[in-house]
């Protein structure tokens, strides 16, 4: 890994830590008085989710920029010039490390072995991009999924502030969350896998080596299976709210809530 990438990873970690410890409490207190009335465990999660939203917006929008304007990466998805992609991935790696530290420091209330494994696997996979500069198009394409994160976080913010589920802002956010989640995690699957299959058997694919091939393909399959399951739950919950069958005490009406209730659902990167 080059010095520039290491610097970005370290800088990203520090910036997100400052956002969590300093910027989020100050900003949240100024925006809503409800923040100060939350219990300490929810304050921690609130700050974490605000940082998650900032990361998602930065990385997601940067991802769209690269997909639209980085001709070198689009022309050669396996070995194209990875400079901009490395920057985007380095920001995400810094965030993942920050999130792992946050998990470790708050393990009794936020600890989850699944997400530790996920973050470590993501760091391993993105390590190939940072150290070897391979698969820039595919690594960047997966990050488009982060654009659904702000809506999932906003759903949690409304819940923490005790907005009724029938409130128009809650309903609107839920509909947008369902739509954006579908667009950036489900609808993109055919295009993504078409590009993947187009590389099979090529000389560029063989040059990757078995380690990179396995890390790339298996992680993508696992994540897309999870995305499909989550999409089903979100769509079902959205349908029940729209049809008036999503009462607060209804078990079925809260199926989609189980997703946003898990702190790190929205924090992972595909």
């Amino acid at each position: 890994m080059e010095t520039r990438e290491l610097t970005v990873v370290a800088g990203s970690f520090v910036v997100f830590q400052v956002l969590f410890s300093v910027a989020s409490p100050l900003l949240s207190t100024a925006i809503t008085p409800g923040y100060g009335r939350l219990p300490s465990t929810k304050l921690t999660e609130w700050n974490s989710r605000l940082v998650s939203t900032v990361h998602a917006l930065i990385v997601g929008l940067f991802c769209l920029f690269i997909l639209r304007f980085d001709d070198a990466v689009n022309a050669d998805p396996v070995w194209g010039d990875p400079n901009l992609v490395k920057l985007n991935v380095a920001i995400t790696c810094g965030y993942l490390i920050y999130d792992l530290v946050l998990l470790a420091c708050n393990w009794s209330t936020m600890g989850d072995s699944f997400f530790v494994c996920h973050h470590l696997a993501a760091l391993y996979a993105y390590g190939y991009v940072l150290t070897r500069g391979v698969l820039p198009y595919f690594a960047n394409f997966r990050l488009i999924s982060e654009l659904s994160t702000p809506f999932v976080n906003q759903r949690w913010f409304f819940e923490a502030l005790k907005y009724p589920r029938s409130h128009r802002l809650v309903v609107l956010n839920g509909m947008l969350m369902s739509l954006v989640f579908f667009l950036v995690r489900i609808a993109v699957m055919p295009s993504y896998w078409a590009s993947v299959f187009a590389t099979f058997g090529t000389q560029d694919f063989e040059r990757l080596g078995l380690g990179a091939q396995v890390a790339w393909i298996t992680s993508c399959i696992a994540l897309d299976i999870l995305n499909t399951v989550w999409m089903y739950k979100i769509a079902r919950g959205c349908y029940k709210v729209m049809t008036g069958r999503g009462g607060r005490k209804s078990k079925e009406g809260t199926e989609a809530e189980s997703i946003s209730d898990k702190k790190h659902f929205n924090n992972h990167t595909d």
Side-chain angles (χ1 to χ4, degrees):
M1 191 183 304
E2 297 180 1
T3 302
R4 188 191 71 161
E5 282 72 47
L6 283 173
T7 301
V8 173
V9 171
S12 173
F13 171 83
V14 171
V15 168
F16 288 126
Q17 185 60 55
V18 172
L19 283 174
F20 172 83
S21 303
V22 180
S24 178
L26 291 175
L27 181 62
S28 300
T29 300
I31 291 177
T32 174
Y35 172 82
R37 294 193 290 267
L38 295 175
S40 59
T41 54
K42 283 201 171 185
L43 286 176
T44 299
E45 185 165 352
W46 178 294
N47 295 332
S48 175
R49 284 183 179 270
L50 191 145
V51 175
S52 169
T53 295
V54 172
H55 163 261
L57 290 173
I58 293 173
V59 171
L61 294 175
F62 196 11
C63 168
L64 293 179
F65 174 84
I66 294 172
L67 288 174
R68 176 64 180 84
F69 296 106
D70 196 331
D71 295 332
V73 167
N74 292 325
D76 186 354
V78 180
W79 295 95
D81 181 6
N83 282 327
L84 288 180
V85 175
K86 279 187 174 183
L87 179 60
N88 210 18
V89 168
I91 293 172
T92 291
C93 287
Y95 171 79
L96 289 173
I97 296 171
Y98 141 81
D99 207 36
L100 284 172
V101 173
L102 182 65
L103 273 173
C105 293
N106 299 273
W107 188 258
S108 61
T109 57
M110 299 171 61
D112 191 316
S113 298
F114 171 81
F115 290 106
V116 170
C117 293
H118 171 274
H119 284 13
L120 293 176
L123 288 169
Y124 172 73
Y126 285 135
Y128 281 101
V129 181
L130 296 179
T131 58
R132 295 180 55 190
V134 299
L135 302 167
Y137 173 86
F138 299 106
N140 189 73
F141 196 100
R142 300 302 304 195
L143 288 173
I144 195 175
S145 65
E146 284 300 302
L147 291 173
S148 65
T149 295
F151 300 98
V152 179
N153 284 339
Q154 187 59 50
R155 186 185 186 95
W156 186 92
F157 291 142
F158 283 141
E159 285 286 313
L161 295 174
K162 301 187 183 305
Y163 274 61
R165 292 178 186 170
S166 59
H167 194 287
R168 62 178 182 174
L169 290 178
V170 177
V171 174
L172 176 61
N173 181 74
M175 295 175 65
L176 289 173
M177 181 184 74
S178 301
L179 175 62
V180 175
F181 191 97
F182 173 78
L183 291 175
V184 302
R185 292 178 183 260
I186 305 299
V188 296
M189 285 185 189
S191 173
Y192 178 81
W193 285 105
S195 298
V196 171
F197 292 142
T199 68
F200 285 0
T202 65
Q203 184 178 9
D204 287 340
F205 181 80
E206 297 301 326
R207 286 174 57 199
L208 287 173
L210 182 61
Q213 293 169 0
V214 170
W216 171 31
I217 301 301
T218 57
S219 62
C220 289
I221 291 175
L223 288 169
D224 282 341
I225 290 173
L226 285 174
N227 285 332
T228 301
V229 172
W230 284 331
M231 183 72 253
Y232 169 76
K233 292 184 177 181
I234 288 174
R236 189 171 179 179
C238 186
Y239 170 77
K240 291 183 181 298
V241 170
M242 293 176 65
T243 56
R245 295 163 56 196
R248 176 170 291 276
K249 294 187 181 297
S250 168
K251 179 179 179 181
E252 288 186 327
T254 59
E255 287 186 9
E257 307 300 332
S258 64
I259 297 173
S260 58
D261 285 344
K262 290 184 178 293
K263 152 72 182 78
H264 292 282
F265 162 73
N266 55 78
N267 289 351
H268 73 69
T269 52
D270 288 354

